[in-house]
Amino acid sequence: MTLNSDYAIHNVNDSSRRVWRVAELSDDGSPLRGPILVTFDKRTIFNLWTDFPSKFTPEQIQILREEEPYWYEFFMPRLEEA
């Protein structure tokens, strides 16, 4: 997915981060519940439910491990299966 006006990046100006959480917005501008979205470059959006680990580079997996350890641990069984 590509970032557009249907999405909002959390803490977009935090230059210390290498991965940012992204919210998909409903028609009224409120965040949708369900998808766990992240971006590494503020352009391309990854859905952890459908894209991890197959669409992630080894570097992105390492960044997720360091900056989002909860979600890394949650999805770690997928790495063992791959």
Side-chain angles (χ1 to χ4, degrees):
M1 286 183 276
T2 304
L3 192 64
N4 61 37
S5 62
D6 296 330
Y7 300 94
I9 300 175
H10 299 280
N11 302 316
V12 69
N13 295 320
D14 185 350
S15 61
S16 67
R17 298 199 54 84
R18 296 178 293 160
V19 62
W20 292 268
R21 294 287 303 273
V22 177
E24 186 173 5
L25 303 176
S26 66
D27 292 338
D28 68 3
S30 62
L32 294 175
R33 292 181 185 226
I36 304 168
L37 307 175
V38 297
T39 183
F40 295 91
D41 61 8
K42 299 179 187 175
R43 289 187 306 261
T44 305
I45 301 170
F46 295 96
N47 183 329
L48 290 178
W49 293 113
T50 59
D51 298 334
F52 188 84
S54 63
K55 294 184 180 177
F56 283 60
T57 67
E59 179 184 7
Q60 290 168 332
I61 292 171
Q62 183 61 32
I63 291 169
L64 190 73
R65 180 181 185 184
E66 294 168 6
E67 295 195 16
E68 295 285 349
Y70 175 84
W71 291 116
Y72 175 83
E73 292 292 327
F74 184 88
F75 289 108
M76 195 161 98
R78 293 183 182 187
L79 288 172
E80 297 166 357
E81 294 171 3

